[in-house]
Amino acid sequence: VSIQMFENQGLTDDVDTYQTRDLMFVMVSDTDENRNPQMADTVRVTVDVGNGTAGNGGVGLVLDTEVLTLTESGNVTGIFRSDTVVVTDTKLPAVNDGVVSWGLSDTMHAVYSDATGASESASDTALAKEISVTGVVQFYEDASYTDDVDTYQPRQDVVYVVVYDTDENRNP
């Protein structure tokens, strides 16, 4: 029994991080869940989101829960795939609304438990990271960083520099 989260529909890009606004695909491999060889079977996976340290709330709180139904990729494969699952930081969390709501540094935990009573289970986790952006450098001529400029007097002006690059803050 295994479970894995992916970032592409072809299930070739397994990941342990997603951007705060992304698409997720889940795959479970469990051969004894192929209960009917005449049709594709289904299994369920529970996805919980735990609060990270970037927000103002308490750490470790469960923010959102989604139960996903995965469908077998063929009649007798034992490989189960989810549809496209949206993960976002722009929607308020609501249980089983079809969208996984989370924010920066939150952790998603996907759990699969075998329904046939074989007491097999598997889990996978992923961390929310900031959406990558191009870095920006801005020059200012005042200490309050309100007067941005592109020209200076040599040896006469004080230069204030700010670098904005949100995806490079690896140790907040």
Side-chain angles (χ1 to χ4, degrees):
V1 171
S2 66
I3 184 172
Q4 183 66 54
M5 291 186 266
F6 295 88
E7 196 166 44
N8 66 333
Q9 194 169 16
L11 305 179
T12 58
D13 185 15
D14 57 319
V15 294
D16 60 4
T17 60
Y18 287 97
Q19 293 183 355
T20 52
R21 281 172 246 141
D22 215 333
L23 299 177
M24 173 179 72
F25 301 87
V26 179
M27 181 182 77
V28 166
S29 176
D30 188 356
T31 55
D32 70 355
E33 285 303 305
N34 178 42
R35 295 178 303 273
N36 185 345
Q38 306 303 316
M39 59 181 276
D41 294 296
T42 61
V43 297
R44 291 180 179 245
V45 170
T46 302
V47 177
D48 293 310
V49 174
N51 194 22
T53 58
N56 293 327
V59 177
L61 299 176
V62 174
L63 302 176
D64 196 8
T65 300
E66 299 296 323
V67 177
L68 308 177
T69 300
L70 283 60
T71 304
E72 193 173 15
S73 62
N75 289 350
V76 291
T77 64
I79 305 294
F80 300 85
R81 299 172 161 206
S82 70
D83 288 330
T84 303
V85 180
V86 174
V87 294
T88 186
D89 63 350
T90 60
K91 187 172 185 304
L92 288 174
V95 173
N96 289 326
D97 65 351
V99 176
V100 176
S101 299
W102 69 347
L104 180 61
S105 297
D106 289 346
T107 300
M108 183 170 13
H109 187 226
V111 178
Y112 166 72
S113 295
D114 192 325
T116 61
S119 69
E120 299 170 317
S121 65
S123 66
D124 194 11
T125 60
L127 181 68
K129 67 178 186 174
E130 186 64 58
I131 296 172
S132 300
V133 296
T134 304
V136 176
V137 176
Q138 183 64 57
F139 294 92
Y140 296 92
E141 67 178 0
D142 65 327
S144 62
Y145 298 95
T146 57
D147 187 13
D148 58 319
V149 294
D150 60 5
T151 308
Y152 290 96
Q153 299 281 332
R155 294 180 295 276
Q156 295 177 4
D157 281 340
V158 175
V159 176
Y160 298 89
V161 179
V162 176
V163 176
Y164 299 98
D165 197 356
T166 59
D167 61 326
E168 290 302 318
N169 185 12
R170 302 285 185 224
N171 187 6

